Amino acid sequence: MRYAKTIIYVDNVEEVLDFYYQAFGLSTLALTESGDYGEIDSGEVILGFASHPLAQAQFKQSYIRAQPKQPALGFELTLCCSNVSESYDRAVIAGAEPLMPPSVKGEGAQAYVRAIEGTLIALVNERAS
């Protein structure tokens, strides 16, 4: 078995894909014609985004929606970057909520932002991952 994909359920897939490009430079790999599912080029593991109606059509269980103005869900995405300070600034300019400015921790710098759909994002030096 191998870990293949993470899908985050969001209100507006195209808006989130654009945010991830503007904030982190991650390009769109795929987007359905209906705009209810898309994936970004995040490396080996696929990071996808699905609309809430599509998610609810897949399974009938309820779930807690990530919301920018509500407490964060209990997970984070970690993105490796060559310059944490520049990446943090770029993300904030693109609309990310600043949570923890860049600071040196252990082997390198790290910072935290919150994406427009409410996901926690850790930014770390490439060598620290």
Side-chain angles (χ1 to χ4, degrees):
M1 191 175 302
R2 69 177 179 82
Y3 182 65
K5 183 185 298 193
T6 296
I7 300 173
I8 300 171
Y9 306 139
V10 300
D11 290 322
N12 185 317
V13 172
E14 291 181 68
E15 179 182 60
V16 171
L17 290 171
D18 183 58
F19 167 78
Y20 275 75
Y21 177 72
Q22 297 300 323
F24 309 113
L26 300 172
S27 301
T28 298
L29 266 180
L31 178 63
T32 60
E33 192 172 303
S34 61
D36 61 357
Y37 179 78
E39 297 175 348
I40 59 172
D41 187 2
S42 59
E44 293 181 29
V45 175
I46 295 169
L47 179 55
F49 300 94
S51 68
H52 290 293
L54 178 63
Q56 292 166 341
Q58 298 294 319
F59 61 93
K60 303 302 178 201
Q61 305 289 28
S62 63
Y63 56 88
I64 299 170
R65 291 179 181 217
Q67 304 262 348
K69 302 298 180 201
Q70 298 293 323
L73 300 177
F75 74 95
E76 69 182 50
L77 299 178
T78 301
L79 299 178
C80 298
C81 49
S82 59
N83 186 312
V84 171
S85 292
E86 287 178 9
S87 297
Y88 177 84
D89 290 342
R90 177 180 177 168
V92 171
I93 289 168
E97 177 186 354
L99 297 179
M100 186 187 88
S103 62
V104 176
K105 302 274 186 183
E107 295 180 27
Q110 74 176 42
Y112 279 90
V113 296
R114 194 158 178 200
I116 61 168
E117 80 287 348
T119 304
L120 292 174
I121 309 283
L123 301 169
V124 301
N125 282 349
E126 302 225 25
R127 67 181 181 277
S129 63

